[in-house]
Amino acid sequence: MEFEMIAARDLDRYAKDKNAFIIDLRTPDEYVQEHIRGAVNIPYERLQNCHSLPLDMYLVLYCERGSISMAAARELAEKGYDVKTVIGGIHAYRGRMLESY
């Protein structure tokens, strides 16, 4: 199974899409500091134990710079999920859906 790589600038569109389930794979502390509006924080280390991911939506994954979300996308795609991963992670994002505290 394969996954799609998307540009960080496309996150604005996905954040408004009701069929997208956006997952921030960073630590809870990193998530609290800034995240994409509407994203759910599931740290990569806990992703393996998460059994409630929606099968009727596509998953959009991001991390700090993209390498962790790529590994997670590969794992989830092998399990049958429709997955997209953000190239460059949140570090590359410059859109309007960023929430910072």
Side-chain angles (χ1 to χ4, degrees):
M1 197 61 122
E2 294 190 17
F3 58 89
E4 182 180 353
M5 296 171 62
I6 63 170
R9 68 179 173 270
D10 293 334
L11 271 172
D12 284 348
R13 180 170 47 99
Y14 289 109
K16 296 174 185 176
D17 187 336
K18 294 186 188 308
N19 292 316
F21 189 77
I22 302 175
I23 301 173
D24 184 320
L25 297 166
R26 300 171 305 142
T27 67
D29 288 340
E30 292 170 317
Y31 176 83
V32 168
Q33 288 181 355
E34 69 177 359
H35 60 270
I36 303 303
R37 189 175 307 128
V40 174
N41 181 226
I42 305 174
Y44 178 70
E45 297 79 25
R46 292 196 346 232
L47 193 62
Q48 299 300 326
N49 299 326
C50 189
H51 303 289
S52 60
L53 296 175
L55 289 169
D56 60 340
M57 301 173 82
Y58 55 87
L59 309 178
V60 179
L61 310 177
Y62 72 89
C63 59
E64 185 64 31
R65 297 187 181 268
S67 59
I68 291 172
S69 64
M70 188 161 313
R74 189 173 298 115
E75 294 166 15
L76 290 170
E78 287 175 1
K79 293 180 180 180
Y81 289 97
D82 183 1
V83 186
K84 301 175 188 317
T85 182
V86 178
I87 300 167
I90 198 166
H91 182 75
Y93 180 70
R94 301 288 181 263
R96 293 179 285 164
M97 300 303 282
L98 188 66
E99 290 190 353
S100 299
Y101 299 98

XYZ file of all heavy atoms in Angstrom:
818
model
N 0.844 -1.181 0.000
C 0.000 0.000 0.000
C 0.889 1.244 0.000
O 1.923 1.265 0.642
C -0.882 -0.039 1.236
C -2.062 0.885 1.170
S -3.164 0.508 -0.183
C -4.673 0.229 0.640
N 0.442 2.273 -0.689
C 1.229 3.493 -0.784
C 0.539 4.637 -0.075
O -0.620 4.544 0.304
C 1.451 3.838 -2.254
C 2.310 2.810 -2.960
C 2.728 3.289 -4.339
O 2.639 4.487 -4.615
O 3.135 2.433 -5.130
N 1.268 5.731 0.096
C 0.730 6.941 0.689
C 1.124 8.115 -0.190
O 2.021 8.006 -1.017
C 1.241 7.125 2.126
C 2.744 7.196 2.232
C 3.412 8.400 2.137
C 3.483 6.031 2.429
C 4.784 8.462 2.238
C 4.862 6.078 2.540
C 5.510 7.299 2.443
N 0.443 9.224 0.005
C 0.690 10.424 -0.799
C 1.490 11.437 0.009
O 1.240 11.640 1.198
C -0.645 11.036 -1.222
C -0.507 12.261 -2.096
C -1.854 12.845 -2.492
O -2.895 12.230 -2.207
O -1.842 13.933 -3.076
N 2.437 12.078 -0.635
C 3.197 13.159 -0.012
C 2.602 14.474 -0.499
O 2.420 14.660 -1.702
C 4.673 13.033 -0.378
C 5.282 11.756 0.163
S 6.949 11.411 -0.442
C 7.852 12.803 0.153
N 2.284 15.361 0.451
C 1.673 16.645 0.086
C 2.549 17.798 0.570
O 3.299 17.667 1.536
C 0.250 16.780 0.663
C 0.259 16.761 2.187
C -0.660 15.696 0.094
C -1.062 17.136 2.826
N 2.425 18.923 -0.100
C 3.171 20.119 0.281
C 2.545 20.755 1.522
O 1.330 20.695 1.721
C 3.158 21.126 -0.869
N 3.356 21.358 2.354
C 2.875 22.009 3.574
C 1.841 23.091 3.259
O 0.885 23.282 4.010
C 4.049 22.595 4.353
N 1.992 23.767 2.133
C 1.048 24.829 1.773
C -0.371 24.285 1.539
O -1.341 25.014 1.603
C 1.534 25.598 0.552
C 1.516 24.801 -0.721
C 1.977 25.613 -1.924
N 2.103 24.774 -3.082
C 3.202 24.117 -3.435
N 4.293 24.222 -2.699
N 3.220 23.361 -4.509
N -0.492 22.976 1.287
C -1.802 22.369 1.062
C -2.558 22.077 2.358
O -3.728 21.709 2.319
C -1.656 21.068 0.262
C -1.174 21.322 -1.154
O -1.411 22.433 -1.675
O -0.562 20.418 -1.738
N -1.908 22.251 3.502
C -2.568 21.977 4.780
C -3.798 22.840 5.006
O -4.771 22.391 5.616
C -1.594 22.164 5.945
C -0.798 20.934 6.333
C 0.268 21.296 7.351
C -1.690 19.844 6.859
N -3.805 24.071 4.529
C -4.986 24.931 4.684
C -6.213 24.270 4.072
O -7.294 24.268 4.664
C -4.765 26.300 4.038
C -3.880 27.207 4.862
O -3.604 26.880 6.029
O -3.456 28.244 4.337
N -6.053 23.698 2.908
C -7.162 23.031 2.221
C -7.604 21.789 2.990
O -8.798 21.565 3.212
C -6.749 22.657 0.804
C -7.839 21.970 0.009
C -7.469 21.842 -1.457
N -6.140 21.344 -1.687
C -5.853 20.082 -1.974
N -6.826 19.189 -2.049
N -4.623 19.700 -2.200
N -6.657 20.992 3.440
C -7.004 19.771 4.161
C -7.619 20.075 5.523
O -8.480 19.334 5.993
C -5.786 18.865 4.318
C -5.378 18.242 3.016
C -4.220 18.627 2.362
C -6.178 17.262 2.419
C -3.852 18.059 1.160
C -5.816 16.693 1.213
C -4.655 17.095 0.589
O -4.297 16.536 -0.610
N -7.200 21.149 6.168
C -7.742 21.510 7.478
C -9.226 21.862 7.389
O -9.946 21.758 8.378
C -6.950 22.667 8.072
N -9.690 22.232 6.221
C -11.100 22.577 6.023
C -11.906 21.419 5.443
O -13.124 21.511 5.338
C -11.206 23.791 5.105
C -10.587 25.027 5.706
C -10.592 26.168 4.716
C -9.856 27.360 5.276
N -9.749 28.442 4.316
N -11.250 20.338 5.089
C -11.894 19.194 4.453
C -12.477 18.259 5.514
O -11.747 17.738 6.356
C -10.869 18.449 3.593
C -11.475 17.346 2.758
O -12.549 16.825 3.108
O -10.846 16.994 1.740
N -13.769 18.029 5.469
C -14.436 17.184 6.469
C -14.063 15.707 6.346
O -14.346 14.923 7.242
C -15.946 17.359 6.366
C -16.411 18.745 6.739
C -17.921 18.817 6.768
C -18.448 20.207 6.939
N -17.934 20.972 8.015
N -13.427 15.328 5.260
C -12.990 13.942 5.074
C -11.555 13.710 5.531
O -11.045 12.609 5.412
C -13.134 13.520 3.618
C -14.579 13.434 3.206
O -15.401 12.900 3.933
N -14.901 13.981 2.046
N -10.911 14.762 6.026
C -9.520 14.655 6.470
C -9.454 14.591 7.994
O -10.138 15.335 8.688
C -8.719 15.859 5.971
N -8.638 13.696 8.496
C -8.363 13.568 9.924
C -6.889 13.901 10.088
O -6.023 13.115 9.696
C -8.676 12.148 10.392
C -8.623 11.965 11.878
C -9.661 12.419 12.678
C -7.551 11.318 12.475
C -9.625 12.237 14.061
C -7.502 11.131 13.844
C -8.538 11.600 14.636
N -6.595 15.086 10.612
C -5.218 15.566 10.685
C -4.606 15.166 12.022
O -5.188 15.414 13.082
C -5.159 17.090 10.493
C -5.782 17.452 9.143
C -3.722 17.585 10.587
C -5.891 18.929 8.887
N -3.430 14.550 11.945
C -2.752 14.057 13.141
C -1.382 14.712 13.267
O -0.559 14.655 12.359
C -2.571 12.527 13.087
C -3.932 11.837 12.954
C -1.816 12.030 14.318
C -3.846 10.339 12.735
N -1.160 15.330 14.436
C 0.132 15.903 14.801
C 0.877 14.830 15.585
O 0.434 14.415 16.653
C -0.101 17.145 15.666
C 1.177 17.881 16.024
O 2.194 17.215 16.315
O 1.150 19.120 16.048
N 1.989 14.362 15.072
C 2.736 13.258 15.664
C 3.795 13.694 16.669
O 4.524 12.863 17.199
C 3.411 12.435 14.558
C 2.458 11.748 13.590
C 3.208 11.271 12.357
C 1.739 10.605 14.272
N 3.864 14.972 16.957
C 4.885 15.482 17.870
C 4.470 15.265 19.333
O 3.395 14.761 19.613
C 5.134 16.964 17.589
C 5.625 17.203 16.155
C 5.673 18.662 15.785
N 4.380 19.292 16.005
C 4.219 20.524 16.470
N 5.259 21.276 16.741
N 3.012 21.026 16.640
N 5.312 15.679 20.245
C 5.013 15.525 21.668
C 3.879 16.465 22.076
O 3.630 17.476 21.398
C 6.240 15.852 22.532
O 6.532 17.255 22.411
C 7.464 15.019 22.128
N 3.205 16.167 23.174
C 2.154 17.070 23.650
C 2.661 18.491 23.901
O 1.956 19.461 23.616
C 1.678 16.415 24.950
C 1.924 14.960 24.724
C 3.224 14.914 23.943
N 3.882 18.641 24.407
C 4.438 19.979 24.639
C 4.614 20.749 23.334
O 4.312 21.941 23.254
C 5.784 19.894 25.363
C 5.644 19.479 26.819
O 4.529 19.623 27.383
O 6.636 19.004 27.393
N 5.104 20.082 22.301
C 5.261 20.730 20.998
C 3.905 21.099 20.416
O 3.743 22.176 19.839
C 6.016 19.813 20.037
C 7.465 19.597 20.416
C 8.124 18.510 19.608
O 7.494 17.449 19.391
O 9.287 18.714 19.194
N 2.939 20.202 20.561
C 1.585 20.457 20.066
C 0.978 21.690 20.731
O 0.375 22.529 20.069
C 0.719 19.217 20.321
C -0.733 19.392 19.949
C -1.149 19.231 18.637
C -1.694 19.700 20.910
C -2.483 19.380 18.282
C -3.028 19.852 20.565
C -3.417 19.685 19.256
O -4.737 19.838 18.906
N 1.130 21.803 22.041
C 0.567 22.943 22.776
C 1.182 24.258 22.305
O 0.495 25.265 22.184
C 0.756 22.762 24.305
C 0.454 24.037 25.060
C -0.129 21.630 24.798
N 2.468 24.255 21.995
C 3.137 25.480 21.551
C 2.599 25.971 20.214
O 2.413 27.168 20.028
C 4.642 25.268 21.461
C 5.294 25.173 22.801
C 6.790 24.982 22.683
O 7.351 24.832 21.592
N 7.455 24.973 23.821
N 2.385 25.059 19.278
C 1.796 25.407 17.982
C 1.331 24.144 17.285
O 1.942 23.092 17.413
C 2.771 26.183 17.090
C 3.944 25.390 16.591
C 4.826 26.178 15.653
O 4.544 27.343 15.346
O 5.833 25.606 15.222
N 0.234 24.263 16.557
C -0.303 23.142 15.797
C -1.261 23.661 14.729
O -1.649 24.827 14.746
C -1.009 22.128 16.707
C -2.156 22.701 17.465
N -2.018 23.262 18.709
C -3.467 22.816 17.157
C -3.197 23.696 19.131
N -4.090 23.442 18.196
N -1.634 22.781 13.835
C -2.594 23.116 12.791
C -3.988 23.046 13.406
O -4.323 22.066 14.084
C -2.492 22.130 11.605
C -1.065 22.113 11.045
C -3.518 22.467 10.519
C -0.532 23.443 10.582
N -4.774 24.066 13.201
C -6.132 24.108 13.745
C -6.910 22.866 13.318
O -6.954 22.518 12.157
C -6.850 25.365 13.270
C -8.183 25.601 13.949
C -8.819 26.918 13.543
N -7.895 28.039 13.742
C -7.598 28.931 12.803
N -8.147 28.861 11.610
N -6.769 29.914 13.051
N -7.486 22.181 14.292
C -8.261 20.983 14.025
C -7.472 19.686 14.114
O -8.056 18.609 14.075
N -6.153 19.784 14.232
C -5.324 18.582 14.319
C -5.473 17.921 15.686
O -5.665 18.589 16.699
C -3.855 18.924 14.075
N -5.372 16.604 15.689
C -5.404 15.813 16.910
C -3.971 15.393 17.210
O -3.238 14.974 16.319
C -6.294 14.556 16.712
C -6.230 13.653 17.911
C -7.716 14.972 16.399
N -3.579 15.525 18.476
C -2.217 15.149 18.863
C -2.168 13.678 19.264
O -2.767 13.272 20.254
C -1.749 16.033 20.018
C -0.336 15.740 20.465
O -0.075 15.641 21.645
N 0.579 15.622 19.538
N -1.475 12.888 18.446
C -1.196 11.488 18.766
C 0.303 11.313 18.544
O 0.745 11.131 17.410
C -1.986 10.506 17.878
C -3.481 10.782 17.940
C -1.676 9.062 18.301
C -4.318 9.951 16.983
N 1.101 11.430 19.604
C 2.550 11.273 19.432
C 2.889 9.950 18.759
O 2.221 8.939 18.978
C 3.076 11.314 20.872
C 2.054 12.098 21.620
C 0.739 11.715 20.988
N 3.909 9.977 17.944
C 4.303 8.801 17.169
C 4.454 7.556 18.037
O 4.030 6.470 17.654
C 5.606 9.090 16.411
C 6.101 7.910 15.629
C 5.424 7.475 14.499
C 7.239 7.226 16.026
C 5.871 6.382 13.770
C 7.698 6.126 15.303
C 7.005 5.722 14.179
O 7.445 4.632 13.467
N 5.011 7.731 19.219
C 5.234 6.598 20.111
C 3.923 5.933 20.538
O 3.890 4.755 20.857
C 5.995 7.037 21.369
C 7.386 7.568 21.100
C 7.381 9.014 20.587
O 6.424 9.764 20.855
O 8.339 9.377 19.890
N 2.835 6.670 20.543
C 1.539 6.133 20.952
C 0.684 5.690 19.761
O -0.372 5.085 19.951
C 0.772 7.176 21.776
C 1.415 7.434 23.110
C 0.527 8.147 24.089
N -0.663 8.762 23.559
C -1.013 10.020 23.764
N -0.269 10.812 24.484
N -2.136 10.495 23.260
N 1.113 5.989 18.573
C 0.326 5.685 17.381
C 0.068 4.187 17.233
O -1.016 3.777 16.836
C 1.029 6.233 16.142
C 0.231 6.273 14.859
C -0.986 7.188 15.011
C 1.102 6.753 13.716
N 1.036 3.353 17.577
C 0.884 1.904 17.451
C -0.236 1.366 18.338
O -0.862 0.371 18.006
C 2.196 1.198 17.806
C 3.353 1.565 16.911
C 3.087 1.223 15.452
O 2.424 0.247 15.145
N 3.614 2.030 14.557
N -0.484 2.032 19.455
C -1.511 1.583 20.399
C -2.857 2.244 20.156
O -3.799 2.000 20.899
C -1.067 1.854 21.836
C 0.205 1.105 22.176
O 0.423 0.004 21.688
N 1.043 1.707 22.987
N -2.942 3.079 19.149
C -4.184 3.793 18.860
C -5.026 2.936 17.909
O -4.663 2.722 16.764
C -3.872 5.145 18.228
S -5.314 6.182 18.068
N -6.165 2.473 18.416
C -7.007 1.581 17.622
C -8.290 2.257 17.160
O -9.178 1.591 16.654
C -7.342 0.328 18.435
C -6.126 -0.405 18.893
N -5.310 -1.103 18.034
C -5.554 -0.514 20.108
C -4.299 -1.624 18.698
N -4.427 -1.276 19.970
N -8.378 3.560 17.324
C -9.628 4.248 16.989
C -9.477 5.236 15.832
O -10.241 6.189 15.745
C -10.167 4.968 18.227
O -9.217 5.911 18.686
N -8.510 5.017 14.972
C -8.363 5.900 13.816
C -9.501 5.630 12.835
O -9.858 4.480 12.599
C -7.017 5.680 13.135
C -5.782 6.026 13.960
C -4.523 5.631 13.208
C -5.762 7.496 14.324
N -10.074 6.692 12.266
C -11.214 6.490 11.361
C -10.800 5.834 10.040
O -9.828 6.237 9.423
C -11.730 7.908 11.134
C -10.553 8.789 11.397
C -9.729 8.097 12.434
N -11.550 4.839 9.640
C -11.288 4.172 8.369
C -12.021 4.832 7.211
O -11.687 4.610 6.051
C -11.705 2.699 8.456
C -10.819 1.820 9.317
C -11.475 0.469 9.558
C -9.454 1.656 8.678
N -13.027 5.663 7.523
C -13.823 6.296 6.480
C -13.304 7.690 6.101
O -13.938 8.407 5.349
C -15.288 6.376 6.909
C -15.484 7.177 8.183
O -14.503 7.357 8.950
O -16.616 7.627 8.429
N -12.162 8.067 6.643
C -11.541 9.358 6.337
C -10.101 9.094 5.910
O -9.555 8.027 6.168
C -11.542 10.258 7.582
C -12.917 10.543 8.139
S -12.832 11.431 9.712
C -12.599 13.103 9.122
N -9.491 10.072 5.259
C -8.070 9.910 4.996
C -7.299 10.636 6.088
O -7.758 11.629 6.655
C -7.661 10.346 3.589
C -8.024 11.745 3.200
C -7.179 12.798 3.489
C -9.210 12.014 2.524
C -7.511 14.095 3.122
C -9.547 13.294 2.156
C -8.692 14.327 2.466
O -9.023 15.601 2.105
N -6.143 10.095 6.422
C -5.316 10.623 7.492
C -4.259 11.540 6.903
O -3.592 11.183 5.929
C -4.640 9.479 8.250
C -5.543 8.348 8.745
C -4.704 7.279 9.431
C -6.621 8.876 9.666
N -4.108 12.718 7.485
C -3.063 13.660 7.086
C -2.116 13.775 8.273
O -2.511 14.225 9.350
C -3.649 15.041 6.723
C -2.533 16.009 6.346
C -4.665 14.918 5.594
N -0.884 13.332 8.086
C 0.091 13.284 9.171
C 1.138 14.370 9.015
O 1.590 14.649 7.907
C 0.812 11.938 9.172
C -0.037 10.675 9.113
C 0.872 9.458 9.045
C -0.966 10.591 10.297
N 1.526 14.956 10.147
C 2.678 15.860 10.128
C 3.444 15.737 11.432
O 2.913 15.325 12.456
C 2.279 17.311 9.843
C 1.553 18.028 10.963
C 2.257 18.723 11.934
C 0.168 18.031 11.027
C 1.592 19.391 12.949
C -0.507 18.701 12.023
C 0.217 19.385 12.990
O -0.445 20.045 14.001
N 4.718 16.071 11.360
C 5.593 16.084 12.528
C 6.384 17.390 12.452
O 5.911 18.356 11.857
C 6.505 14.851 12.546
S 7.560 14.699 11.092
N 7.569 17.431 13.013
C 8.357 18.666 12.995
C 8.906 18.958 11.591
O 8.726 20.044 11.074
C 9.495 18.580 14.008
C 10.291 19.859 14.136
C 9.469 21.036 14.675
O 8.541 20.825 15.466
O 9.764 22.175 14.286
N 9.568 17.974 10.978
C 10.214 18.208 9.683
C 9.873 17.189 8.602
O 10.351 17.294 7.484
C 11.725 18.290 9.852
C 12.132 19.470 10.714
C 13.630 19.639 10.738
N 14.010 20.753 11.578
C 14.188 21.993 11.146
N 14.042 22.271 9.880
N 14.539 22.951 11.986
N 9.083 16.176 8.925
C 8.607 15.261 7.898
C 9.081 13.825 7.966
O 8.443 12.945 7.387
N 10.178 13.537 8.639
C 10.702 12.170 8.622
C 9.851 11.207 9.457
O 9.605 10.071 9.040
C 12.160 12.140 9.090
O 12.262 12.670 10.401
N 9.389 11.640 10.606
C 8.564 10.767 11.455
C 7.211 10.524 10.799
O 6.698 9.400 10.801
C 8.416 11.362 12.866
C 9.769 11.302 13.574
C 7.354 10.623 13.663
C 9.804 12.021 14.902
N 6.628 11.567 10.208
C 5.324 11.378 9.570
C 5.444 10.466 8.350
O 4.512 9.719 8.045
C 4.685 12.718 9.183
O 5.443 13.398 8.218
N 6.577 10.466 7.687
C 6.768 9.569 6.555
C 6.816 8.116 7.031
O 6.196 7.237 6.420
C 8.040 9.911 5.780
C 8.139 9.120 4.503
S 9.248 9.768 3.254
C 8.846 11.461 3.163
N 7.516 7.861 8.124
C 7.577 6.504 8.674
C 6.185 6.054 9.123
O 5.767 4.921 8.854
C 8.560 6.452 9.841
N 5.456 6.943 9.794
C 4.104 6.619 10.258
C 3.169 6.382 9.080
O 2.329 5.474 9.122
C 3.573 7.738 11.141
N 3.295 7.167 8.030
C 2.451 7.011 6.847
C 2.668 5.641 6.220
O 1.716 4.968 5.815
C 2.740 8.117 5.836
N 3.907 5.225 6.137
C 4.232 3.918 5.575
C 3.572 2.810 6.412
O 2.942 1.900 5.871
C 5.754 3.729 5.545
C 6.225 2.511 4.801
C 7.746 2.466 4.669
N 8.243 3.614 3.914
C 9.031 4.580 4.417
N 9.427 4.544 5.652
N 9.436 5.572 3.649
N 3.686 2.906 7.730
C 3.109 1.896 8.626
C 1.583 1.854 8.513
O 0.984 0.777 8.448
C 3.509 2.193 10.069
C 5.000 2.038 10.329
C 5.437 2.652 11.647
O 4.570 2.960 12.506
O 6.654 2.828 11.831
N 0.948 3.028 8.508
C -0.518 3.082 8.449
C -1.046 2.652 7.081
O -2.087 2.015 6.987
C -1.011 4.475 8.818
C -0.825 4.854 10.289
C -1.126 6.330 10.503
C -1.696 3.989 11.184
N -0.329 2.998 6.020
C -0.747 2.583 4.677
C -0.713 1.063 4.561
O -1.589 0.462 3.940
C 0.146 3.226 3.621
N 0.279 0.437 5.181
C 0.363 -1.027 5.167
C -0.818 -1.675 5.894
O -1.176 -2.805 5.608
C 1.675 -1.484 5.795
C 2.879 -1.233 4.922
C 4.194 -1.563 5.589
O 4.192 -2.026 6.760
O 5.238 -1.363 4.951
N -1.416 -0.930 6.826
C -2.580 -1.430 7.565
C -3.893 -1.114 6.853
O -4.962 -1.397 7.366
C -2.604 -0.831 8.971
C -1.465 -1.322 9.832
C -1.523 -0.700 11.204
C -0.375 -1.206 12.062
N -0.402 -0.620 13.404
N -3.805 -0.467 5.680
C -4.995 -0.208 4.881
C -5.579 1.189 4.987
O -6.621 1.472 4.405
N -4.918 2.073 5.701
C -5.416 3.448 5.812
C -5.052 4.253 4.573
O -4.016 4.015 3.951
C -4.824 4.144 7.043
C -5.367 3.632 8.349
C -4.684 2.667 9.081
C -6.566 4.123 8.866
C -5.178 2.198 10.287
C -7.071 3.657 10.070
C -6.367 2.700 10.771
O -6.867 2.236 11.960
N -5.898 5.218 4.233
C -5.628 6.186 3.173
C -4.855 7.317 3.847
O -5.411 8.030 4.680
C -6.949 6.677 2.581
C -6.756 7.623 1.417
O -5.602 7.896 1.027
O -7.777 8.113 0.898
N -3.573 7.459 3.513
C -2.691 8.361 4.261
C -1.993 9.362 3.353
O -1.583 9.044 2.241
C -1.611 7.553 5.018
C -0.787 8.452 5.913
C -2.226 6.432 5.824
N -1.845 10.577 3.903
C -1.060 11.628 3.268
C -0.072 12.135 4.318
O -0.406 12.201 5.493
C -1.954 12.768 2.803
C -3.021 12.310 1.810
C -3.962 13.426 1.459
C -5.142 12.975 0.641
N -4.903 12.059 -0.424
N 1.133 12.473 3.907
C 2.130 12.998 4.832
C 2.646 14.341 4.309
O 2.760 14.544 3.095
C 3.290 12.001 5.045
O 4.201 12.549 6.001
C 4.018 11.688 3.772
N 2.915 15.250 5.221
C 3.316 16.613 4.861
C 4.832 16.689 4.703
O 5.578 16.426 5.651
C 2.837 17.617 5.934
C 3.300 19.022 5.596
C 1.322 17.559 6.074
N 5.265 17.055 3.518
C 6.687 17.221 3.228
C 7.213 18.417 4.029
O 6.651 19.508 3.965
C 6.920 17.468 1.726
C 6.397 16.299 0.908
C 8.402 17.719 1.430
C 6.297 16.595 -0.579
N 8.245 18.204 4.802
C 8.848 19.289 5.576
C 8.175 19.558 6.909
O 8.639 20.382 7.682
N 7.068 18.855 7.182
C 6.384 18.991 8.465
C 5.890 20.391 8.765
O 5.792 21.245 7.886
N 5.603 20.628 10.033
C 5.078 21.925 10.448
C 6.132 23.016 10.262
O 5.802 24.188 10.094
C 4.547 21.890 11.893
C 3.623 23.084 12.144
C 5.682 21.794 12.904
C 2.787 22.980 13.401
N 7.390 22.622 10.253
C 8.475 23.582 10.040
C 8.338 24.285 8.682
O 8.705 25.452 8.547
C 9.826 22.858 10.139
C 11.000 23.747 9.992
N 11.421 24.601 10.990
C 11.851 23.930 8.961
C 12.475 25.268 10.568
N 12.756 24.877 9.344
N 7.787 23.598 7.694
C 7.638 24.159 6.345
C 6.313 24.895 6.155
O 6.118 25.559 5.138
C 7.746 23.043 5.305
N 5.422 24.808 7.128
C 4.081 25.389 6.987
C 4.099 26.891 7.244
O 4.653 27.367 8.219
C 3.120 24.704 7.952
C 1.715 25.232 7.880
C 0.910 24.984 6.782
C 1.197 25.999 8.906
C -0.377 25.474 6.709
C -0.093 26.504 8.849
C -0.874 26.229 7.750
O -2.145 26.729 7.680
N 3.435 27.647 6.358
C 3.347 29.113 6.493
C 1.915 29.601 6.295
O 1.689 30.741 5.942
C 4.242 29.797 5.449
C 5.702 29.431 5.533
C 6.349 30.057 6.759
N 7.758 29.731 6.827
C 8.276 28.745 7.551
N 7.503 27.965 8.257
N 9.569 28.524 7.569
N 0.940 28.733 6.518
C -0.448 29.074 6.236
C -1.182 29.734 7.382
O -0.604 30.074 8.418
N -2.487 29.878 7.191
C -3.341 30.585 8.145
C -3.928 29.693 9.229
O -4.561 30.190 10.148
C -4.479 31.264 7.400
C -3.987 32.392 6.501
C -5.123 33.006 5.770
N -5.496 32.064 4.710
C -6.636 32.102 4.041
N -7.538 32.974 4.332
N -6.874 31.224 3.098
N -3.730 28.399 9.151
C -4.357 27.490 10.107
C -3.449 27.161 11.287
O -3.746 26.288 12.080
C -4.760 26.191 9.396
C -5.748 26.393 8.256
S -7.276 27.201 8.749
C -8.117 25.847 9.520
N -2.360 27.908 11.449
C -1.439 27.666 12.543
C -1.940 28.333 13.820
O -2.253 29.527 13.821
C -0.052 28.211 12.192
C 1.067 27.868 13.158
C 1.340 26.377 13.157
C 2.324 28.628 12.776
N -2.032 27.558 14.885
C -2.405 28.100 16.187
C -1.163 28.052 17.068
O -0.587 26.994 17.268
C -3.537 27.291 16.819
C -4.843 27.479 16.089
C -6.037 26.879 16.831
O -5.847 26.196 17.844
O -7.145 27.095 16.351
N -0.744 29.208 17.550
C 0.448 29.314 18.412
C 0.065 29.872 19.756
O -0.817 30.733 19.851
C 1.484 30.239 17.771
O 1.890 29.738 16.530
N 0.761 29.402 20.784
C 0.484 29.878 22.145
C 1.740 30.330 22.827
O 2.805 30.004 22.492
C -0.199 28.779 22.969
C -1.511 28.382 22.369
C -1.630 27.266 21.565
C -2.647 29.135 22.592
C -2.842 26.900 21.002
C -3.869 28.790 22.036
C -3.954 27.682 21.253
O -5.157 27.331 20.697
